[in-house]
Amino acid sequence: MLFSIIVPCYNSKNFIRDCIDSILVQNFNDFEVILIDDGSTDGTDKILDEYAKNNLCIHVYHFENAGVSYSRRRGILLASGEYLIFVDSDDSINPNLLSNLYNAIIN
C-alpha cells in the first residue's frame, strides 16, 4: 500500500459524503482510507459503515470521543501505507492528488 488517507470524523453527517466521494474518485488506486469515528452522535457512524460495506479500500474504526489529534494518532497506528495523508471530514481533495504525489515521489 502506497498511501493511507486518514480522516478523523466527529458529527460530520452533513459533509462526510462529499469528503469520501472526493477520495474515491482518485485516478490512482494504490491507497486505503482510514475513517476514524471519534464518538459521533449524529449518524456519521452509520454513513461511514455504509461506505465501508461498498468499498474494500475503506476501513472504519469507532472510538469514544477523544479529539481530532488523538484520532489522527489512532489513524497513524492503523495505517498500512508507506505515506500518510490527512484529510479533515469537511474537506474534499482533487481527483489528481494521489497521482501528482506519486509522480513527485518517483521523480
Side-chain angles (χ1 to χ4, degrees):
M1 186 72 47
L2 190 60
F3 296 110
S4 292
I5 302 172
I6 300 168
V7 184
C9 306
Y10 178 73
N11 289 348
S12 308
K13 77 173 185 176
N14 292 331
F15 35 81
I16 190 61
R17 289 182 193 279
D18 290 337
C19 176
I20 296 171
D21 290 343
S22 77
I23 295 168
L24 293 177
V25 298
Q26 291 298 298
N27 60 9
F28 185 87
N29 294 320
D30 192 12
F31 70 93
E32 67 178 348
V33 183
I34 308 291
L35 300 172
I36 305 294
D37 174 34
D38 191 30
S40 295
T41 59
D42 69 343
T44 297
D45 55 338
K46 291 170 185 48
I47 295 169
L48 302 181
D49 290 339
E50 172 189 318
Y51 271 94
K53 273 194 250 182
N54 298 317
N55 298 280
L56 296 177
C57 68
I58 294 180
H59 310 286
V60 176
Y61 301 92
H62 301 280
F63 297 100
E64 289 185 21
N65 185 262
V68 69
S69 295
Y70 202 73
S71 292
R72 286 191 182 111
R73 284 188 296 232
R74 285 177 165 155
I76 291 168
L77 295 174
L78 294 165
S80 61
E82 188 174 343
Y83 298 94
L84 304 177
I85 299 168
F86 297 96
V87 177
D88 289 334
S89 62
D90 60 346
D91 289 339
S92 60
I93 61 174
N94 183 293
N96 301 314
L97 175 68
L98 297 183
S99 61
N100 290 343
L101 288 173
Y102 174 74
N103 289 331
I105 291 166
I106 62 170
N107 289 329

